[in-house]
Amino acid sequence: MGHGRAPLRTAAAGAVSAALIAGTVVGLAPAAQAAPAVRFVDIAGDGGTVLKANVLTPAGADGTRDYPLVVLPTSWGLPQIEYLAQAQKLADSGYVVLTYNVRGFWQSGGQIEVAGPPDIADASKVIDWALAHTPADPQRVGMAGVSYGAGISLLAAAHDKRIKAVAALSGWADLIDSIYSGRTQHVQAAAVLDGAGTLTGRESPEVREIFDNLYASDLSKEQQMIDWGRKRSAGTYVDQLNSNGAAVMLANAWGDTVFPANQYAGFYEKLTGPKRLELRPGDHATAELTGLFGLPNDVWTDTERWFDHYLKGADNGIDREHPVQLKSRSAGGYEGYPDWKSVGATRRKVALAGSTTIHANVDSGADGGIVFLSSILDQVAQLPPIASMPLLPRRWAAVWQSERYGTAQQVRGTARLHTTLTPTKESGTFVAYLYDVGPLGIGKLVTHAPLSWHGRTPGEPFGVDLDLFSTAYDVPAGHRLALVVDTVDPLYTEHNPSGAQLTFSSPSDDPSYVSVPLREQ
């Protein structure tokens, strides 16, 4: 990953830049002549590390007035011209816009720190530079970004009081809950991030060690990884963020296989300042993608509205709308809610009666899909992963089904599984799936989540409570809901020793169930 790859990385940066700029010019052709000029600059980040950046100022800026500033850190693995189309729109609307390539990627210096302290210090250095070299107003500073840029923006707002507004798109607030929820490695997502980091950047030794320990399932390093992740999670600093008073907009996709919606919803509830939560169909960063090419895009439209209100003082009504805005994966427009707790206003339990034993180590055919691909298909064609309930092998999959519903069931929020589990080994993993099952027994995946455990006494039952990933899905009238549990899913690392068996039971004094949140009718 050293000097031998520098020419390749530089050439690739030029190719991607040319492609994106070409796409942007085509998308914005009618306004091309009025577009502000892009100025490419070098900024000294923390410790003097050179950060490659570009700056756009409003047309006609002559130094006689200041403008609100928006800083855009790049996404993981993408070059500094990632946001060019949106930066031009913001500059046309009267913003100074500065986009910079985060350290360790492409032509910026340093190593990848995964939103570590140097990255947060870099964000403040970039703001310093903008205030010294552009007509930016120090009282009106905002940050936004997609994915990695979203995480850095949230963390920077918790550490730098100058940041008055944030739009964090497809980001994370809890890094460990994103890549290690249920004590289970989200191995496909981690491999995508690792591969992109290796191809387009230079991982620090610490980051390389974290990835290696994640793949190796080294329990002796588990606490080290958790501590590393907490330092890089905005949730750790939520009190500081609230104290600083920044207005925070969070946007994510229901099917995000890198940063699941749950961790954003939980973080949103802890914010006390001006806030907004938007959740839509799609996978990681797919909801924002068309906007990067200058095409109409709801996420970016709301981002500009957010900044217009909280940096410019525009009375555009965004502060009077319901702060939680959801779009179902199935159909329809946006639904507004006063808070996250109101999303699943009622709950309906599906009983998981009886006692069922499954064998581990074999994939039953019930899966969460393929990272990116499955949720994109769901986003554009409403084709989530499917499984046939009658054909699922009961040796490797436990299946419970509800009665047929006479009316549509609008699932909204976080379904919760409660059951009693008796394993034959001290460690193990299972994955729970909730399906929408039609008349022919074909199930469409509504949501799922993994769970792993270690150090349990074989043969001794214990209670399990598992939150499935939050979602919004409409189950048609005449369909059923089904809960399926198996032990292998390509998205996750399995911790079941060879020959392990899992027994799920429903004691009379502690019955098992899945609690499904429903929209109030």
Side-chain angles (χ1 to χ4, degrees):
M1 295 190 294
H3 301 294
R5 293 199 16 236
L8 174 61
R9 187 178 296 111
T10 301
V16 173
S17 299
L20 284 175
I21 290 173
T24 301
V25 169
V26 170
L28 300 178
Q33 291 183 342
V38 182
R39 182 160 58 104
F40 291 89
V41 299
D42 289 351
I43 297 175
D46 185 53
T49 297
V50 174
L51 305 174
K52 296 292 183 177
N54 60 68
V55 183
L56 291 90
T57 54
D62 57 6
T64 61
R65 56 167 291 195
D66 290 336
Y67 299 88
L69 167 68
V70 174
V71 175
L72 302 168
T74 51
S75 302
W76 184 274
L78 292 185
Q80 58 170 304
I81 44 74
E82 172 189 4
Y83 303 114
L84 185 57
Q86 290 302 320
Q88 288 179 330
K89 287 186 175 183
L90 286 167
D92 285 339
S93 298
Y95 291 89
V96 173
V97 187
L98 192 154
T99 294
Y100 72 97
N101 225 116
V102 292
R103 66 170 51 224
F105 283 102
W106 294 93
Q107 294 159 305
S108 284
Q111 296 178 318
I112 300 170
E113 302 286 348
V114 190
D119 290 299
I120 309 313
D122 284 346
S124 291
K125 293 285 189 181
V126 168
I127 293 172
D128 291 343
W129 187 95
L131 296 178
H133 296 87
T134 73
D137 185 345
Q139 303 302 316
R140 296 185 292 166
V141 177
M143 285 192 71
V146 175
S147 184
Y148 196 38
I152 289 175
S153 295
L154 280 177
L155 285 160
H159 289 84
D160 193 325
K161 294 181 179 180
R162 296 174 297 182
I163 301 170
K164 305 302 182 185
V166 173
L169 318 177
S170 290
W172 77 92
D174 187 328
L175 191 55
I176 293 302
D177 199 35
S178 297
I179 64 173
Y180 193 58
S181 69
R183 293 188 77 183
T184 307
Q185 295 90 332
H186 296 208
V187 66
Q188 273 194 21
V192 169
L193 293 174
D194 189 10
T198 300
L199 178 65
T200 63
R202 302 163 300 281
E203 295 173 343
S204 69
E206 182 183 31
V207 171
R208 183 68 262 154
E209 181 182 5
I210 290 293
F211 275 121
D212 290 344
N213 290 339
L214 187 75
Y215 298 142
S217 304
D218 187 346
L219 288 178
S220 70
K221 302 291 187 180
E222 183 181 39
Q223 191 59 50
Q224 174 188 338
M225 180 181 70
I226 291 172
D227 292 342
W228 174 88
R230 283 177 178 161
K231 185 184 296 185
R232 291 159 169 81
S233 298
T236 303
Y237 312 99
V238 67
D239 290 342
Q240 292 176 219
L241 184 57
N242 287 332
S243 177
N244 289 350
V248 178
M249 172 180 153
L250 307 171
N252 206 349
W254 295 118
D256 195 317
T257 44
V258 180
F259 302 129
N262 292 43
Q263 47 89 37
Y264 247 17
F267 178 70
Y268 172 84
E269 291 187 292
K270 297 175 183 177
L271 294 172
T272 59
K275 59 183 179 178
R276 184 178 178 92
L277 175 65
E278 301 185 354
L279 294 169
R280 301 172 173 84
D283 204 310
H284 184 62
T286 62
E288 302 88 359
L289 184 60
T290 56
L292 295 179
F293 292 93
L295 300 174
N297 182 276
D298 291 350
V299 188
W300 286 106
T301 296
D302 285 348
T303 295
E304 185 169 349
R305 292 176 65 220
W306 191 251
F307 286 144
D308 283 350
H309 181 73
Y310 288 103
L311 296 182
K312 287 183 175 180
D315 185 14
N316 57 16
I318 197 167
D319 58 317
R320 296 189 294 273
E321 297 172 359
H322 280 308
V324 176
Q325 295 286 324
L326 311 181
K327 189 173 185 180
S328 169
R329 291 164 46 205
S330 307
Y334 289 94
E335 304 164 1
Y337 299 86
D339 51 43
W340 177 250
K341 290 182 292 186
S342 301
V343 171
T346 60
R347 285 190 169 268
R348 188 167 188 168
K349 289 183 178 179
V350 177
L352 310 179
S355 180
T356 302
T357 298
I358 61 174
H359 293 70
N361 313 123
V362 174
D363 190 342
S364 71
D367 287 324
I370 301 172
V371 65
F372 291 121
L373 177 61
S374 296
S375 291
I376 291 174
L377 284 173
D378 186 36
Q379 177 184 359
V380 301
Q382 295 181 17
L383 291 175
I386 63 173
S388 170
M389 298 301 109
L391 297 181
L392 286 175
R394 278 12 182 212
R395 178 179 176 85
W396 296 297
V399 181
W400 298 268
Q401 297 192 71
S402 73
E403 75 282 3
R404 283 194 177 92
Y405 296 116
T407 59
Q409 305 293 296
Q410 295 181 311
V411 179
R412 299 290 187 274
T414 308
R416 295 187 175 96
L417 167 65
H418 174 76
T419 189
T420 298
L421 171 61
T422 306
T424 60
K425 305 290 185 180
E426 67 172 13
S427 295
T429 299
F430 74 77
V431 185
Y433 310 89
L434 188 65
Y435 284 98
D436 159 26
V437 183
L440 299 179
I442 302 300
K444 294 182 177 181
L445 187 64
V446 177
T447 181
H448 76 286
L451 180 73
S452 297
W453 60 91
H454 303 281
R456 291 288 179 177
T457 301
E460 184 175 304
F462 63 93
V464 170
D465 289 286
L466 175 64
D467 282 356
L468 279 60
F469 298 138
S470 302
T471 194
Y473 182 97
D474 298 345
V475 179
H479 286 212
R480 307 173 187 264
L481 282 171
L483 185 83
V484 177
V485 176
D486 73 1
T487 64
V488 177
D489 189 308
L491 287 172
Y492 309 108
T493 298
E494 178 198 5
H495 295 279
N496 296 294
S498 179
Q501 298 178 34
L502 308 179
T503 297
F504 297 89
S505 57
S506 183
S508 58
D509 60 343
D510 186 19
S512 296
Y513 59 84
V514 58
S515 174
V516 181
L518 300 175
R519 183 185 182 190
E520 189 171 15
Q521 299 298 306

